[in-house]
Each structure stands twice: as structure tokens, then as C-alpha cells.
Amino acid sequence: MNSQLKNRAQKVKVFFCDSDGVLFPNTVLMGAPYKAKYRSYYDGLGLLFLRELGIRIVFITNEKGESATALRETVEKLNALPSSKPQKSDGWEPIVLYEGRNGAKKLETAKEFLAENNLSFDDAAYMGDDLIDAPLLRAVAFPAAPAQAEEVIKNMCQFVAKREGGAGAIRDFANMIVEAHGIDPFSLPTQ
């Protein structure tokens, strides 16, 4: 890892993340009575690693209502872990979810979150995969993308995962952050 990437990775205090194309593959199963999605357990553990390092996790998605059910359920499940607040007073900060936010609204939402939490874009990373993500990718200090992201998006990013969205891209990002901090991944909790 080069020193510039390592330095940038060590400064991340908040990880903004898109859902479709990042946590979930950018595909949908049609014909079902609901919007079926799948995600990688590797990404779930990656989110836990980031939380253990004190990095806030914020999902900002254009999905809303029924379309956001899979993401909402994932966030609720992760926030219910025994290591999370309020289950544990000194536990991990809850993962935050904002629904129904498109490109410009994603940026506005991130600004609001940062202001409310005394953070700045210098403290922030964002992983997105398509043109709708460009405004926020341009604003954060550490833009990132999954392997299958559009080329113009990957060209904007300081980090491009080896794996695709929904198949370990977030874990690749988390592994890089863990490495930048010089932490043995075997010392991190797995649930």
C-alpha cells in the first residue's frame, strides 16, 4: 500500500455507502412479489470491522419504501448485534440509513450528517458505482468503487475494490482500512 493511500485511509471517520451496486449486486430478480436481493457475508463482516475501528457507517440510497426493504432489514440486523448501541453502552455507533436520496440529494444528505456529527468531507469516504454517485464521490476525501463500477466512476476513485458490489467490495475496502491501521484482522470481532 502506498503511503498516500495509507495516510488517506487512516483519516476515514465516516463511510458513506450506496446500496445497489455496492452492498447488493446491481441486479434485481423480476417476477417475484417483492424486490429480491442478495448480499455477501464478506461485506457484512467488513462493515463490522469498520465499526470496530470507530468508523461511522451511513447508507444513502435512491431506493425507498418496499424497494429498500432488503437494505432496511440488513441495517436493522447489524444494529441489533450485541456489540452495538444501545445493547452495549460503549458499543458501536448505529448504522444510519437514508432512503429516497438521488445524486444531488445524496450530497445534501451527507452534508447534513457531517454537520450534525461535527465531521467534514475530509473525514469521509464514499463507495458508489454509477453516475448518480458522482456528486458525493467528488465531495469526499476518499472516493471508492466496486470492481464492476462504470469506468468513469472508477477513474474518479482512489480505491477500486477487486470484488464486485454484492460480492465483497465493501470487505475489500474494510480490509484496506484495517491494513492501513496496522491491525491484525484476526484480532477483530467476527460478530
Side-chain angles (χ1 to χ4, degrees):
M1 172 179 310
N2 71 47
S3 61
Q4 184 179 12
L5 182 67
K6 182 177 180 179
N7 184 44
R8 184 63 253 150
Q10 290 174 337
K11 294 179 180 177
V12 173
K13 294 180 183 173
V14 59
F15 178 57
F16 294 112
C17 193
D18 187 22
S19 60
D20 290 335
V22 179
L23 180 65
F24 304 114
N26 205 12
T27 58
V28 64
L29 177 63
M30 300 301 292
Y34 52 87
K35 194 170 186 179
K37 297 183 182 192
Y38 66 91
R39 69 170 179 87
S40 168
Y41 280 110
Y42 292 124
D43 289 328
L45 193 54
L47 292 169
L48 298 185
F49 286 177
L50 294 173
R51 292 174 84 191
E52 179 67 14
L53 295 177
I55 296 171
R56 296 293 308 269
I57 309 296
V58 181
F59 284 98
I60 306 175
T61 181
N62 195 37
E63 299 287 313
K64 61 184 175 183
E66 228 176 86
S67 295
T69 300
L71 179 57
R72 196 176 312 110
E73 289 174 356
T74 299
V75 168
E76 288 170 2
K77 178 181 177 183
L78 293 172
N79 282 340
L81 291 173
S83 298
S84 299
K85 290 181 180 178
Q87 292 86 327
K88 185 177 175 190
S89 62
D90 63 343
W92 300 325
E93 291 295 329
I95 294 174
V96 178
L97 169 60
Y98 296 98
E99 299 178 28
R101 314 294 168 102
N102 64 17
K105 286 188 178 178
K106 285 185 180 197
L107 180 58
E108 292 170 20
T109 300
K111 283 180 185 177
E112 291 170 14
F113 178 87
L114 292 169
E116 290 168 4
N117 291 278
N118 297 316
L119 296 167
S120 74
F121 281 115
D122 287 339
D123 302 314
Y126 177 59
M127 183 175 277
D129 68 314
D130 211 341
L131 300 178
I132 194 169
D133 301 307
L136 188 48
L137 286 168
R138 286 186 184 114
V140 298
F142 198 161
Q148 89 296 343
E150 288 295 311
E151 286 302 313
V152 294
I153 296 301
K154 290 192 284 191
N155 290 338
M156 297 172 64
C157 293
Q158 295 174 11
F159 177 82
V160 177
K162 292 179 183 174
R163 292 182 268 192
E164 293 187 356
I170 293 173
R171 178 66 175 274
D172 287 348
F173 180 82
N175 287 345
M176 179 269 305
I177 297 288
V178 166
E179 180 184 341
H181 282 274
I183 296 172
D184 176 1
F186 289 103
S187 70
L188 295 171
T190 56
Q191 57 182 353

